[in-house]
Structure formats: structure tokens, C-alpha cells
Amino acid sequence: MIPYIRRAAALCLVLLVALLVNAARVMILEAESLDENPANRRLAITRHGQPRGEILVEGRPVTGSRDSGQQLRYERTYKQGPLYAPVTGYASQTYGTTLVENAEDGVLSGTSPLLAPLPFWNDISRGRLPGGDVVTTIRAPMQEAAYRGLGGKRGAVAAIEPSSGRILALVSSPSYDPGELSGTGPAVKGAWARLNSSPNQPMLNRAIRQTYPPGSTFKIVTAAAALDAGVVTDVDAPTDTPDPFVLPGTRQVLPNAAKGCGNASLAYAIQWSCNTVMAGLGVEVGLAGMVEAAERFGFDDTGLRIPSWVAKSNFDREMSADQLALSSIGQFDTTATPLQMAMVAAAVANNGEIAYPYLVDRTTTAGGTTVDSTGRRSYRQAMRPSTATQLQRLMVEAVEEGTGSNAAIPGARVGGKTGTAQHGLGNTGTPYAWFIAWAQASDAAQPAVAVAVVIEDAEASRTDISGGGSAAPIARAVMEEALRARAVS
Amino acid sequence: MTAKRRGVELSLLVCAVLISVLGYADVGLAENGAVPPDAARYGGGLGALALLAHLAVRFRAPYADPLLLPIAVLLNGLGLVLIYRLDLETPRDQAALPQLVWSTLGVALFIAVVVLLRDHRVLQRYAYLSVATALVLMLVPIFFPAVNGARIWIRLGGLSFQPGEFAKILLAVFFAAYLAANRNALAYTGRRIWRLQLPTGRVLGPIVAIWVLSVGVLVLERDLGTSLLFFGLFVIMLYVATGRTGWIAVGLLLAAVGAFAVGSLEPHVHSRVEDWLNPYASIEAGDGPSQLAQSLFSFAAGGMFGTGLGLGHSILIGFAAKSDFILATAGEELGLAGLTALFLLYGLLVARGYRAGLALLDPFGRLLAIGLASILALQVFVIAGGVMGLIPLTGMAMPFLAQGGSSVVTNWVIVALLIRVSDSARAPRPDTVEAGVIAPVVEDAR
């Protein structure tokens, strides 16, 4: 019997070895793919197992966490959710993350290796770090002024500090409370469905993700191209552009809303927003020159991150002469995000150089130690410094005694440009009202702020003045807060 | 003269109790940040049980294998820790206390068997009583309502148990007794067909009948794990008794045919096989992970060293997390290292059973030891292989580890019987030699 017992014992040994080999297969070889299986809830459970780090505006958190007692335990809360939604985005158990919540997720959720004092040891011990904080560049009074100014109308405001690229305000309206998307369950699903089906698109971040035809605000780009290319050497000299202006190669006539535009100077054209002059200058600069100039401002850049991605602002690279003429006044296929147009204003204010715009000043551990900070970086030289100086004067004139008079601030140097963009089939849509501007306190060395405002459903007077009428006061309110903050600090 | 090694047993028992208590404290620290208030009571209780069992062995089976009892105590202690740990996540379903009560009953039965059963050969006389009891026990649940698709429970008042668990031992006793008595007839008589020697129906008949009956009943009750176990047990014991490899071949063939037939015809089994072949099918279909997939996720989450007791999420497995799937908690929280240790403990237990079988001189004791050890081996393989995707999943209890009163009690009785046979195997036999009596030749030349 003994040999048979031994063989039966050997069989048991085979079974034992099979179990051990199989265990190693599941727990080591296939572990990674099993861990990352989307149906495996563990990653989500760990992720929500601790409070998320905070997003700070001027040192105060605009976010919070609530212990839900559910399996995905900590849910995100927001203070003044609608106001800061275009900055924070949402962090949802059900729908993931967007904007800063998404871009800085590693720090906020505590998974970023930057947070660990000893990353290698942390990998081995599988310790979980508390979520770090994200300090934004947003200024609360400016954000509030912009939000209040839009007053629920469809539109957006982007404000940046020209010298540094710090984004001071980023508002999209109408907005939503991202806290409604935190957690799980039917309430969250209902909110998601409601927000997504709303015709007002409250979750659309119009400041960086929506592009609009920039209309006359684009004339700043055309003017910079004309000056840099030497097409215009004296801004006060008459240009050789007739009024009315026939689009090259067509019989279509380009009208002006302003008077006195025939052969007007560049200075007059910016001050009163002459279409004919700017279209003519664009054609004279030529397609290559215009494309080059637009791209120096950031048009056609698909890689802009603040750190969330910014939608591409478009300037076509192939056009006929008549299309180029229309594009030169911000129509045809030309589109821009509000942030892009704020960068145009900032380029003028900052002597032609655009600082890379950024929203996250620094990230810290939960204890407040800085783990990473965004410094000033140069984005592009949009135009020659001398060109910028000349355009500063023209924009100031447009505010002091031109279309942008609603933006004037006593005791400060303010430059601006209005815009009214036609859109829709046959230009039948309600025009978009634009205003871009910058402001410098009289005793300051540098401009404090550059801002772009767009309102989709502006009061429907289809004239170039609507940008000055609806958008300029909002820009002024935002700029006043920027100047006040500077005066205090 | 063989050493008794009772001191070794005692020190190993102290270690086993200590490891269990540390595990218990660790769960409390991980979940609540504090050592559970009743950790001392748990340790005291487990220690007292271990001590009583040790004393019974020391006085009634002094030559018994010193590894058997400590391994059983350690496995039972770890099982209690794991169940307590899972209890923390299911406030409305507390299983640790009933399990402790059943464990106490198990140890009491262990002591009773060690004290009252002075010689295992007595059991040989009760072969037919055993098998009759086993069949009755297995038939009774048919008259009780099915629980989760299987008719294997008897519910009386608040208690429920699986009589099939006890039937295992009784069946092993019967097989051992019958095969010991008839193995020569099974091996050498009957007609020869081609190369296979078929025993006469008179010899083979009763055993096949009983085997068919037990497996058939279990299929009716949809207790496939136990049918598989009985089948394997039967084949192993038949092989060890007769040494006929042909039996293995026939057994495997029958098993394959049976498995294929049941697997394709019976919907309950069919779905298990489907799930085994593609554990992620339900995820791809958008229905969320199956229990097997959840179990595999648990094991994977453990990795090499585990998440630590109390820090895993094996509760996601849901139903049967404390019973059939308890190994997943061990895998997730103790890691491959801990799981390997567990498997080796079971391996050691089985090996010690086989060792006793080898050392014994009487065929009944041999077959009984092999049978009992094989029950443990097969049961561990079937359930561990099932929850880890090695073989199709069949509901079974991990010996000592899983929640389940009948299972814990049965396993304690199995260990008690192994203690008894190992005592016989290792005890010196000087008296027979000194008396000048030639020891009866019970072992043939094969």
C-alpha cells in the first residue's frame, strides 16, 4: 500500500503547487490589469477615502469636503459654487473631474508623488498622503465684479495681469453649482441630465472653451500686423482706403457703422472702429503676414494650457482676398476665446510681449509646504515694443474719446477696443458684444490688468456701439477692482 | 522509543494563539484606531480552548503528531480574525460570535473524540452504521427549503447547519473499513476485460451503489463542491487500497463525462462554468463584475504583501464573503505571502495525515488517515481553486477559516481522528515484542 500512498501524496503536492502558482499568477502577474479594471471599485474607494485638498482663492478655500458615510466616502462641496465653477470645475464620484479639479487631481487627491517626502518608500509602504492644496491666481473681488456684471446673461470674462500672465478672473455665465454633481445617486444623475440638457449650457466654460467671432476687437491684431509689416508707418497719416470698400474680387460692399472712415488714419480707425480701413490694411499686409501676426498672438495654438486646455482660437491659413478682408475685422472664420482676446489686450499693455497665462499659482502639501509653483514664463512676442506703444495710445484714445468711453476710469490710464460680432446664417443672430481693455494706475509702472468681456445676448442694437454699451461697463468694474487691489497692497 | 513531543506542541500552541490575538488587535487598530476592548478575552478564550485540547492530547494521545493541533488552532484563530474583520463592515450580520461558539463546540467534540475513542480500529465495526447515518444526513436537507439555490442546509430555530459536512467523515470511515476488508477481492478477483481487471459485482456493488447514491443526492441538492469532494475521495481511497491505476483512469473518465453532462445540462452549473471561462463577461456586458471577478480583484489588490488586515475591500464580493469567499479577504489583506503561508499550513496538515497513514500498520487506519487528509486537501483545492479562477467555482467552506458551524465542528473531529491515528502510528510497541509474540502481519508485500 505504501507506494500508492506516496503517489496519492504526490497528487496532493501537485494540487498545492497548482494553487500556489495560480495565486502568483492572479496576485502578481495579472494584478495590474485587475487593479485597473474599470469595474474594480478599489481605485475609486481609495481615491474618495479621504477629504480632497482645497482650492484656494486669495488664501481662502472655495471648496470643502463632506463625509457622506457612503462607500465613496468624501464628497466635494463648493463655497460660491457658481461663481468659481469656471475655475474649479467639478470633482464628482460619478462624472470624474474637470478644469483645476482635473488638472491638479494628483495633488488634490493625494496621489501625486510630489507630495511624498520619500516617494520610493511611499510606493512600498502604500501609504496614502493627505490631499494637497491648490493656490489659484484668482482675485475674489474681480471675479465677483465680473460675475455680477454679467448678471446671468450668456457671456464670459477673462482678466489677466499683463506682466506676469496671472489669470485674475475667469467667469462664465450662466453658471452652475458643481457641488450638485458631487457624490452618487439619483440626485446627482438628475442634476447632470438637467445641466446637460439646459439650452443655456451652464457647464460650458465660455471663458476658455467657447470661441466667438471677435469682431472689431480683432482690429488690434490687424493694426499690429500693419505696423509691424511697415504697411503703416505713421498712425496719424491717411490710409488709402475708400468708404464704402468693395471686397476684393467681389461686388460686395463693406459698410461702416462709424462716420468719416474714408481714407481715415489708423488712429481714427481704431478710435471709431472703421471696418473699411482695417479690412484694407489686412489685405495690404497679405495673407502670410496676417496669419503670422495672428499666430504671434496665440491664434491657431492648440497647445495652450492654463493648466486646463484652452480651445483653439482660429485664423484661417488659406483664404481669398475678400475672406482675408473680412477676417481682418474679426469676421468670416476668425474665432477667439475670451481668454485669447484678453491676451491680445495684454500684449498691447505689456509692450508686445505676452506672458504665458496661468491659473495655478502653486500647489502645497496639506501642511502648506510648497511642492510646485508656476513662475512667469514668456509666451510670445506678439509685436514690436514700438508698435505696442503706438497701439496703447490708440486704445487709450478709443476710451477717452471714442467707442469705449464707458470703460473710462478716473485717475487711471485705460485703453480699450469695442467689438460687435455678426454671426449666424446671413448674420441674422443676435450679435456678440465684445470689449477688450487694459488699465494702468497713473502712478504705476505697469498696467495692472487686461480684460476681455463677451456677451452673447446683448441688447440688440446691431451697431458697433453695443460692445461699448453692454460689455465695457463690466470690463470697467473688473478693472476698477484690479486697481483697487493694487492700491491696497 | 519515539519522543512524545508534547512540549513542542505546547510552545507551538502559544505561538498560534499569539498570532491570532495579534491579528485581532491589528484589525481593531486598522479599523478603529484602537485595540478591540475584548482582545484579551478573545485571546484568553482561544488560549483556554487550546490548552484544554492540549491537555486531552497530552493525557490520552501522548504520542500524537505535535503539529496537528497547533495548525488547527492557528487556522481556526485566523478564521475568527477574518470573520471579525468582515463583521465590522456588515453591522447587521455579526458572524464572529456564533463562529466562536461553534469553534468551542468543535474543540469540545475534539476532546470528546480524543478522550473517548481509545483505538481508531473500533470505528471499523461501525462501517455500515456510518454509511447509513451519512445517507440519512445527506437526504434530510431535501425536505428543507433551498438557500441560495442549494438544498444543503437544515434550519432549526435560529441555527442552520449542513449535514453533508458530517457525512464526509462517516463516508470516509465506511470507505476505509470496506476497502480494508475487501481490497484483495477488489484487486484480484473478477473478470479481466482487455487490460482492466473488473472485480465481481458482489464486491464492487455496494461501494459503487453507495457512492452513486451520495453523489446523486448531492447533485439533486446542487451541492457540487461536496459531490466533487466525494468523488475524489472515493477515487483516491480506491487507488490507495487496490493500487490499480486503471481505477484512476476510469474515475477521471467518469468525472469528465459527468462534469460535461452536468456542466452543459444543469443551468446552475452551466453558469458557473461560463463564469469560470470568462470571469469578465458580465463587465463587458455592462452588468458589473461577477462575484468571481470581484474575488479576483480582491486577490490582485493584495499583491505580494497585502493591504494589511482591515484595510482591504473584499466586502465588495458581497454575498458569501465570510464563507465561500473568505480566502479572498486573506489574499487581499495578507497578500501572496500570507496566502502562501496559509496554503503551506494546510499542506502541512495534509502531509501529517499522510505521514500517519504511512506509519500505521493496519489497513483500516491507513485508509482512514489517507481519507481524512485527502478530504482536507481536496476541499482546500476545490474552494481555493474556485475563488481564484483555477477551476469552476463550487460552493464549499475553507476548512477552519470560513464561517460555518457544521464545517468547523467537522474539521475539529477530522483533526481529532488524525490525532488518534497519529498517536497509534507513533506510539512504541514494545509490549508485543517483549512478550515474544510475533506481530501479526497486516501488511502484504505489495
Side-chain angles (χ1 to χ4, degrees):
Chain A
M1 219 189 271
I2 286 172
Y4 314 129
I5 295 179
R6 288 190 194 285
R7 276 178 218 160
L11 171 74
C12 292
L13 187 63
V14 168
L15 296 184
L16 177 66
V17 170
L19 283 183
L20 289 174
V21 169
N22 184 57
R25 171 184 72 91
V26 174
M27 299 174 77
I28 304 297
L29 292 182
E30 293 179 6
E32 201 169 330
S33 71
L34 286 166
D35 283 344
E36 283 162 10
N37 190 308
N40 192 345
R41 303 260 292 160
R42 280 174 183 72
L43 283 179
I45 290 173
T46 326
R47 175 189 171 78
H48 299 290
Q50 64 179 18
R52 204 167 157 78
E54 307 295 5
I55 298 175
L56 306 176
V57 170
E58 293 192 295
R60 282 189 304 275
V62 296
T63 52
S65 278
R66 176 181 64 227
D67 185 351
S68 68
Q70 306 286 308
Q71 195 180 54
L72 305 179
R73 196 166 156 190
Y74 286 97
E75 295 180 356
R76 193 57 140 175
T77 58
Y78 295 88
K79 295 156 192 157
Q80 299 178 282
L83 175 63
Y84 289 108
V87 176
T88 58
Y90 56 78
S92 163
Q93 263 83 345
T94 316
Y95 299 107
T97 55
T98 54
L99 301 175
V100 167
E101 294 274 30
N102 176 263
E104 298 294 346
D105 186 60
V107 168
L108 292 166
S109 64
T111 54
S112 167
L114 291 173
L115 294 170
L118 298 165
F120 180 67
W121 170 246
N122 205 58
D123 269 1
I124 293 180
S125 68
R126 300 205 200 182
R128 187 136 174 94
L129 299 156
D133 293 342
V134 173
V135 181
T136 67
T137 56
I138 295 291
R139 295 258 181 81
M142 293 174 66
Q143 184 84 2
E144 283 160 15
Y147 188 74
R148 207 168 39 237
L150 285 170
K153 283 186 291 227
R154 281 214 296 254
V157 175
I160 52 187
E161 186 174 64
S163 58
S164 65
R166 298 164 66 87
I167 295 174
L168 304 176
L170 205 63
V171 172
S172 176
S173 174
S175 192
Y176 70 105
D177 184 0
E180 287 186 77
L181 299 177
S182 298
T184 52
V188 170
K189 287 204 168 66
W192 176 259
R194 179 170 46 75
L195 291 171
N196 273 304
S197 62
S198 163
N200 279 328
Q201 294 176 274
M203 287 204 292
L204 172 64
N205 189 341
R206 294 176 165 85
I208 59 169
R209 297 280 165 85
Q210 177 70 311
T211 60
Y212 302 89
S216 300
T217 57
F218 190 78
K219 288 172 184 168
I220 299 296
V221 176
T222 308
L227 285 165
D228 272 1
V231 170
V232 173
T233 47
D234 178 359
V235 295
D236 295 315
T239 53
D240 184 21
T241 43
D243 180 16
F245 178 85
V246 179
L247 293 176
T250 71
R251 287 190 207 157
Q252 206 184 331
V253 168
L254 185 67
N256 277 315
K259 290 184 166 52
C261 286
N263 291 328
S265 69
L266 179 59
Y268 187 89
I270 294 293
Q271 191 174 354
W272 297 106
S273 204
C274 295
N275 290 338
T276 51
V277 174
M278 302 315 294
L281 288 179
V283 173
E284 221 174 313
V285 170
L287 181 64
M290 280 304 291
V291 168
E292 208 178 299
E295 289 183 356
R296 277 201 304 268
F297 280 90
F299 282 83
D300 296 334
D301 182 359
T302 53
L304 189 61
R305 300 274 185 281
I306 64 162
S308 312
W309 67 272
V310 178
K312 182 191 108 163
S313 299
N314 183 64
F315 190 83
D316 278 358
R317 288 173 184 175
E318 280 173 35
M319 284 184 278
S320 59
D322 59 317
Q323 291 168 340
L324 178 60
L326 286 172
S327 292
S328 301
I329 58 166
Q331 299 288 165
F332 188 57
D333 280 347
T334 307
T335 56
T337 60
L339 179 68
Q340 171 64 68
M341 293 319 291
M343 286 159 70
V344 169
V348 173
N350 197 44
N351 298 322
E353 191 230 4
I354 302 175
Y356 203 104
Y358 63 96
L359 190 53
V360 173
D361 185 57
R362 61 202 163 89
T363 50
T364 72
T365 62
T369 312
T370 299
V371 293
D372 193 20
S373 62
T374 320
R376 182 193 190 284
R377 277 187 298 152
S378 187
Y379 176 61
R380 267 162 213 188
Q381 186 70 34
M383 64 192 108
R384 282 199 225 116
S386 59
T387 302
T389 313
Q390 286 171 303
L391 284 179
Q392 281 168 15
R393 199 197 98 201
L394 304 191
M395 285 179 80
V396 168
E397 280 169 9
V399 168
E400 283 177 356
E401 41 189 310
T403 53
S405 56
N406 276 339
I409 301 169
R413 192 167 168 250
V414 178
K417 181 73 198 81
T418 53
T420 302
Q422 312 290 331
H423 71 105
L425 197 61
N427 293 340
T428 49
T430 309
Y432 298 133
W434 274 98
F435 193 71
I436 65 171
W438 48 268
Q440 182 171 11
S442 50
D443 57 344
Q446 285 179 323
V449 61
V451 64
V453 177
V454 66
I455 300 175
E456 290 183 32
D457 41 4
E459 302 311 317
S461 73
R462 294 172 60 104
T463 69
D464 202 49
I465 310 299
S466 78
S470 347
I474 301 174
R476 186 184 62 214
V478 172
M479 291 189 292
E480 277 171 348
E481 291 300 340
L483 295 170
R484 189 171 300 146
R486 195 194 141 270
V488 170
S489 65
Chain B
M1 186 178 144
T2 323
K4 293 181 175 174
R5 300 238 174 229
R6 294 278 64 83
V8 172
E9 183 181 79
L10 188 59
S11 15
L12 287 175
L13 276 173
V14 170
C15 292
V17 172
L18 270 182
I19 292 172
S20 304
V21 174
L22 286 177
Y24 192 71
D26 191 23
V27 170
L29 282 171
E31 292 271 325
N32 303 322
V35 174
D38 57 347
R41 227 174 56 210
Y42 165 78
L46 196 63
L49 287 180
L51 189 65
L52 285 174
H54 168 73
L55 290 174
V57 173
R58 182 175 278 262
F59 291 113
R60 289 300 191 151
Y63 291 97
D65 193 315
L67 279 181
L68 294 169
L69 183 58
I71 291 176
V73 168
L74 181 54
L75 289 172
N76 201 161
L78 287 178
L80 284 166
V81 167
L82 292 175
I83 292 168
Y84 166 72
R85 178 259 168 282
L86 289 167
D87 274 353
L88 291 175
E89 308 216 13
T90 55
R92 267 168 288 171
D93 173 28
Q94 297 294 302
L97 194 64
Q99 182 78 355
L100 189 60
V101 172
W102 281 112
S103 304
T104 310
L105 185 63
V107 174
L109 269 176
F110 169 92
I111 294 170
V113 169
V114 171
V115 169
L116 298 179
L117 184 70
R118 300 307 305 273
D119 188 337
H120 63 269
R121 281 170 293 191
V122 172
L123 293 174
Q124 207 166 357
R125 293 182 215 147
Y126 300 108
Y128 287 96
L129 181 64
S130 294
V131 76
T133 318
L135 286 176
V136 169
L137 281 175
M138 286 192 296
L139 276 168
V140 168
I142 291 186
F143 306 105
F144 285 80
V147 179
N148 304 311
R151 256 179 224 281
I152 51 177
W153 278 274
I154 293 181
R155 280 184 188 277
L156 287 175
L159 291 176
S160 68
F161 63 92
Q162 298 183 29
E165 289 279 350
F166 299 108
K168 290 192 298 207
I169 303 178
L170 299 171
L171 222 54
V173 168
F174 167 73
F175 281 153
Y178 189 87
L179 290 171
N182 295 298
R183 63 201 187 94
N184 284 333
L186 279 165
Y188 299 119
T189 62
R191 277 175 301 172
R192 193 181 178 88
I193 297 173
W194 189 48
R195 296 177 65 181
L196 195 66
Q197 182 100 30
L198 274 188
T200 55
R202 191 180 53 79
V203 184
L204 194 60
I207 195 166
V208 169
I210 281 156
W211 171 75
V212 166
L213 213 55
S214 43
V215 172
V217 165
L218 293 169
V219 169
L220 274 182
E221 295 171 356
R222 296 187 173 170
D223 186 2
L224 293 149
T226 311
S227 351
L228 205 60
L229 174 65
F230 283 0
F231 191 89
L233 178 67
F234 177 64
V235 170
I236 288 180
M237 290 183 78
L238 199 56
Y239 171 73
V240 170
T242 62
R244 295 260 155 208
T245 323
W247 288 120
I248 304 279
V250 172
L252 287 178
L253 197 72
L254 280 177
V257 170
F260 181 78
V262 176
S264 43
L265 296 177
E266 221 283 333
H268 185 69
V269 186
H270 184 68
S271 70
R272 292 263 169 107
V273 173
E274 289 284 309
D275 204 28
W276 170 62
L277 290 173
N278 188 0
Y280 313 114
S282 64
I283 297 172
E284 283 149 24
D287 298 334
S290 64
Q291 260 194 312
L292 180 57
Q294 287 284 21
S295 173
L296 292 173
F297 291 162
S298 279
F299 282 108
M304 189 60 91
F305 298 111
T307 57
L309 273 172
L311 299 174
H313 300 288
S314 54
I315 201 73
L316 290 173
I317 294 169
F319 164 68
K322 295 178 195 174
S323 47
D324 291 10
F325 286 95
I326 194 137
L327 201 63
T329 305
E332 179 164 6
E333 305 197 345
L334 304 176
L336 183 59
L339 200 61
T340 304
L342 270 180
F343 285 152
L344 291 180
L345 284 178
Y346 284 115
L348 218 47
L349 203 56
V350 173
R352 289 290 156 157
Y354 269 83
R355 194 182 187 85
L358 281 171
L360 276 169
L361 294 180
D362 69 302
F364 169 71
R366 275 188 172 169
L367 285 168
L368 183 62
I370 302 310
L372 295 174
S374 301
I375 287 176
L376 287 173
L378 288 171
Q379 191 154 354
V380 168
F381 178 77
V382 166
I383 183 61
V387 295
M388 298 193 82
L390 184 60
I391 56 171
L393 185 64
T394 49
M396 267 201 131
M398 200 72 194
F400 289 113
L401 225 48
Q403 174 195 7
S406 20
S407 170
V408 155
V409 168
T410 305
N411 287 311
W412 273 112
V413 173
I414 288 177
V415 172
L417 290 173
L418 285 177
I419 289 267
R420 174 49 62 217
V421 290
S422 77
D423 181 53
S424 307
R426 292 159 48 94
R429 300 177 189 83
D431 40 342
T432 47
V433 177
E434 276 166 22
V437 179
I438 297 164
V441 179
V442 286
E443 168 64 9
D444 60 9
R446 279 181 292 126

